[in-house]
Amino acid sequence: ALGVMCMVHGDDRGLVLPPKVSPTQVVLVPVPSAKGSASLKELEAMLQGTQRALEGCGVRCELDASPHHTAGWKYSYWELRGVPLRVEAGQQEFDGGKIRLVRRDTGEKTDVEVDKATDAVPRLLETIQKDMYQRAKTERDANIR
């Protein structure tokens, strides 16, 4: 069953896991800027608060604050592992009190206010689950003779 799921939902960039079966549903990545005034520690603190809030409402999260890798490397690493949703916070988001949500299945990006993350993230995970199911069902039905 896992092999079929990987074949059905995988793409050229790696695995795409449905939120209900993914061990990590959301990865939080700070994106420090050399020009920005927000330090890596400030971005981490903002994302740690978001992580605690999301975990409090049942979302399985991981914060990737590794200083040894660039944000692009982290994006690729987690994308290959199929994590359904990435949360980014850079200088722009820090200044605006927002976070950026990036869907693994479509690549769609959405900005939401930090204090609304506990509503937006679970709702988006449910939408991803439904969209992936519908896409797989449509593909299956199109290939049955």
Side-chain angles (χ1 to χ4, degrees):
L2 288 175
V4 172
M5 182 182 62
C6 293
M7 288 175 28
V8 169
H9 295 302
D11 62 15
D12 291 341
R13 298 177 314 194
L15 186 60
V16 183
L17 290 173
K20 288 186 179 178
V21 297
S22 181
T24 302
Q25 294 174 312
V26 176
V27 64
L28 298 102
V29 180
V31 185
S33 170
K35 301 175 198 170
S37 60
S39 70
L40 178 61
K41 293 292 180 197
E42 289 173 312
L43 293 171
E44 273 181 53
M46 179 174 132
L47 289 176
Q48 283 172 345
T50 304
Q51 179 183 16
R52 282 190 298 275
L54 291 174
E55 286 173 342
C57 62
V59 177
R60 297 183 298 276
C61 302
E62 193 164 328
L63 173 63
D64 188 347
S66 163
H68 305 294
H69 299 291
T70 63
W73 187 94
K74 293 174 189 180
Y75 296 168
S76 178
Y77 177 84
W78 291 106
E79 196 170 269
L80 285 170
R81 279 147 188 81
V83 175
L85 189 61
R86 180 176 74 230
V87 174
E88 306 171 0
Q91 181 65 49
Q92 216 173 3
E93 291 80 19
F94 184 80
D95 291 341
K98 297 185 177 199
I99 53 175
R100 175 161 290 161
L101 309 177
V102 183
R103 290 177 58 157
R104 169 64 181 91
D105 61 330
T106 63
E108 179 185 338
K109 298 177 181 181
T110 309
D111 290 344
V112 298
E113 293 178 21
V114 175
D115 58 347
K116 295 188 177 160
T118 54
D119 293 330
V121 170
R123 191 175 39 230
L124 184 55
L125 288 172
E126 190 60 36
T127 301
I128 292 169
Q129 181 76 28
K130 288 178 184 173
D131 290 351
M132 289 180 71
Y133 174 77
Q134 195 59 44
R135 202 169 23 254
K137 186 176 181 208
T138 303
E139 181 72 21
R140 182 204 63 191
D141 293 346
N143 289 304
I144 293 178
R145 297 177 197 187

